[in-house]
Amino acid sequence: MGTQFEWDLGKRKLELGERPLLMGVVNVTPDSFSDGGEFLSPERAREHALRLLEEGADILDIGGESTRPGAKRLLEEDEVQRVIPVIAAVKRARPDVIISVDTYKATVAKAAVEAGAEIINDVSGFTWDAAMLPTLAKLACGVVLMHMRGRPEEWRTLPPLTDPVGLVKRELVERAQAALTAGVAKERMVLDPGLGFGKNFAENHPLLARISELRELGFPLLAGASRKSFVGRMLAREGKDAPVGERQFGTVAAETVLALAGVQVIRTHDVRACADARRVVEAVRRAG
């Protein structure tokens, strides 16, 4: 069981720690690494979102721009036009649903919360848009502060790390302190170590193995290993990384590690599989 927290989402509070909550991914993008273009229309995205809820998702994370290397950067108005209709469609079908929006743009964050989103998930750790922290300080919502090292186009040239866990811990503390100073209350924040984001294949292994150490920072944790390239490298056969479509079993193994480590929220594309893994973890814990 993870440390107990109460996540302030503005209009309600979400209990964290009894068991890991599952954040289902809804990509409204043509170029996502995992399912680009599959759920681009609001109707298709709504159907996918409802399916994830049926499979056991506790939160939906809607994203309108891919952050994979080489992906096209969107104008704010284009991202708003992608994301807001999906929020509206899902909310019409399930008014009680908790929606997170994956964005690093302040304008998109504000529009999303006004449309009914209750969480802003910023992969840049509030560093890519100078207006993000002042905007979040005024919004009534939960926030996810993720650690990213460099920008996607720089990842292949970043120097290797001797202590990836120490770096992530130190920089998460620095960015959380900046958010607190800007007026974002601690009770609104969840931290994400950013598995795969600016860490090379081997650097993700100690992060996964020692992720429970991040609990020392005093914040609830969110993490996502789902379908990521480092999982594909772990599953390599004959010198070739497993393609995205063949990473589900490895993903479930990594997500089981996260659940056993006490991570409070697990972000996943494969909600049904992750939900089954969570049931196994819960049964083992009940047994002693």
Side-chain angles (χ1 to χ4, degrees), residues 6 19 86 129 136 140 167 198 212 251:
E6 198 172 58
R19 63 174 187 165
V86 178
D129 184 345
L136 290 178
L167 175 80
S212 61
T251 287

Side-chain angles (χ1 to χ4, degrees), residues 1-181:
M1 181 183 298
T3 307
Q4 303 290 300
F5 290 94
E6 198 172 58
W7 193 5
D8 186 356
L9 305 185
K11 295 179 181 178
R12 55 179 153 179
K13 293 180 171 60
L14 190 59
E15 299 295 328
L16 300 179
E18 184 65 28
R19 63 174 187 165
L21 300 185
L22 305 186
M23 175 182 274
V25 178
V26 182
N27 285 323
V28 195
T29 61
D31 52 0
S32 168
F33 82 95
S34 62
D35 51 14
E38 193 172 347
F39 311 114
L40 193 54
S41 76
E43 181 59 28
R44 290 291 301 279
R46 183 188 72 88
E47 292 173 359
H48 179 58
L50 295 179
R51 182 165 57 251
L52 294 180
L53 293 173
E54 291 172 1
E55 291 176 353
D58 303 288
I59 303 166
L60 297 175
D61 191 41
I62 300 172
E65 178 182 307
S66 173
T67 49
R68 68 168 179 80
K72 181 182 178 181
R73 301 278 80 88
L74 282 182
L75 297 174
E76 293 173 342
E77 53 267 32
D78 293 334
E79 189 174 340
V80 167
Q81 289 173 7
R82 278 188 188 174
V83 169
I84 301 307
V86 178
I87 297 174
V90 174
K91 277 289 190 179
R92 281 195 298 270
R94 288 286 299 271
D96 61 328
V97 68
I98 299 173
I99 291 179
S100 165
V101 169
D102 180 352
T103 186
Y104 58 85
K105 301 183 182 78
T107 299
V108 180
K110 184 175 184 294
V113 172
E114 289 173 349
E118 297 177 69
I119 300 166
I120 297 301
N121 179 12
D122 185 345
V123 298
S124 81
F126 317 138
T127 63
W128 288 2
D129 184 345
M132 182 60 98
L133 278 178
T135 297
L136 290 178
K138 298 174 184 177
L139 293 176
C141 65
V143 299
V144 179
L145 188 169
M146 197 195 81
H147 180 275
M148 184 189 295
R149 184 170 175 243
R151 290 180 178 256
E153 59 271 18
E154 302 169 337
W155 289 350
R156 291 186 181 277
T157 59
L158 290 174
L161 296 172
T162 56
D163 181 15
V165 178
L167 175 80
V168 169
K169 289 172 72 173
R170 183 173 66 255
E171 293 190 350
L172 280 176
V173 167
E174 292 171 356
R175 294 170 192 178
Q177 185 56 55
L180 292 169
T181 301

